[in-house]
Amino acid sequence: MKRLQRNPDIVWRVEKRRQQAVIDRLAAGEESGDEGTVILLISGMMHQLNLLGGMIWAQCDGSRTLAQIVTQLQAEFDVETALLQADVQEFIDDLIERGWLSYDQSTD
Amino acid sequence: MTNPLTEQFSAPLTFNWALSYSCNFACSHCYSREEQCDELGTAELKQIIDRIAAHQVPFINFGGGEPLMRKDLFEITAYARQQGLNVSMNSNGWLLDRAAAEQIKASGFRSVGISIDSAEAALHDDFRNRPGSFLRAVAALDALAEAGVRSTMSSVISRINHKSFRDLLDLAREHRVSQVYLHNFKCSGRGFKNREDLDLTPQEWKDFYLVALQVKQETKDLLISFDDPVIASLPGYEENPLVKGSSCGKLSLNLRPNGDITPCGFIPLVVGNILTDDFEEIWYNSPTLNKMRNKEAKGKCQGCNVYEDCLGGCTARAFATTGDLSDPDPHCWK
């Protein structure tokens, strides 16, 4: 099982108020834009993830595979599974390339 | 009131936390020697940690006072680590021997900063008013390295070291320090009383920073950090800070030993208490914090072409010298 694991050196937090504001705007049918809802502090620099990215990031705690994350997100976003899968895969590939995520290859 | 800062950040990123103002030193520049404040017990400190963790503040940095004077420091630190906090501290190093370094490692400190103000032992000892303090501070750096703890070095720039700061960098290299903080001089407490002897003139500050920024650019084996917003206008300043101007009240807050919150350790304006007040009310609605986040140019800052970068420089220094948070930083050379 290839579970996704955040780099433990990265300090991060969900900005809950902003996350809720984005969710409320989406629920009202408004554009959410790419507003950051999760901040990451890496080597003194701050990076931000948008709502979808933040939700993926929060789930990469070493207990879930990519497929399991997609399944969870499917319940939150009304999009086609294949499209969601491709978006999640692209996002995760990018973060693995940056060294922010990795696959935990340990077996159960 | 809508505030871009609190729209972005739901809490500070760091609490600087004086567990105690007790100290085994009486340094010439210290802000806290005349501070008097009740101290909290271990159980209450853990309650504070619970609150900090609940608000997702990722970093706490113990200062004071000398943190190692608290007997429960390692218990508190281990508890904070269990709650997911990243813990560091600043120490004078006197009590930091090999055994303490092992406890620091075991309790989970992310890094420890040791204060050293001159590479010349006699100058450091004189500044710190404690014979032998240089050798103990250097030994503390070695003990941390032996224990596998990341160490940093904190040097307050003043009249004793502004021309010889490169020697401090060499000292850091010799003792496996990963980062050197060249702190600006604050005019608070004994620092205010002794500023005639210790503080530089605005032109000297400019000259120091021009050289120091160049050295920083040329240095690859050591991180050099400044915490002075007044340098934002200088050539060679390439930082991309998360906020403009002072970070106090924006990215960081200060905790006094009794749980009172101030914008920073050098601004003695209590905005609430972390144990007894609603933290969100403080963070979002404190008039003092919001004034610091929305400074208006006053005096020579009005019309200055770099005000948008420095936002008046160090708010603590302005407040200490004039009593007005929005006045220009007295270190400003413009």
Side-chain angles (χ1 to χ4, degrees), chain A residues 11 13-15 17-18 46, chain B residues 7-8 10-12 56 58 242:
Chain A
V11 173
R13 79 172 174 210
V14 179
E15 291 293 350
R17 276 199 181 193
R18 207 137 45 111
M46 187 178 79
Chain B
E7 277 187 15
Q8 184 170 18
S10 56
Q56 295 187 291
L242 301 181

Side-chain angles (χ1 to χ4, degrees), chain A residues 8-18 35 39 41 44-46 48, chain B residues 7-13 55-59 86 110 240 242 280 284:
Chain A
D9 291 334
I10 295 177
V11 173
W12 64 284
R13 79 172 174 210
V14 179
E15 291 293 350
K16 288 179 182 166
R17 276 199 181 193
R18 207 137 45 111
E35 199 175 344
I39 59 171
L41 299 166
M45 299 286 290
M46 187 178 79
Q48 301 190 57
Chain B
E7 277 187 15
Q8 184 170 18
F9 296 108
S10 56
L13 300 178
H55 286 96
Q56 295 187 291
V57 178
F59 297 101
N86 298 278
R110 187 180 177 98
N240 185 20
L242 301 181
E280 292 206 353
Y284 288 104

Side-chain angles (χ1 to χ4, degrees), chain A residues 25-79:
Chain A
R25 281 204 294 278
L26 279 175
E30 298 172 23
E31 284 287 318
S32 72
D34 252 359
E35 199 175 344
T37 60
V38 168
I39 59 171
L40 313 179
L41 299 166
I42 304 168
S43 303
M45 299 286 290
M46 187 178 79
H47 303 263
Q48 301 190 57
L49 303 176
N50 65 14
L51 183 66
L52 177 59
M55 288 176 135
I56 297 168
W57 175 263
Q59 294 191 47
C60 294
D61 59 1
S63 72
R64 298 177 182 88
T65 63
L66 188 145
Q68 288 169 325
I69 290 171
V70 171
T71 302
Q72 290 234 341
L73 292 170
Q74 191 75 62
E76 305 278 343
F77 294 95
D78 183 22
V79 285

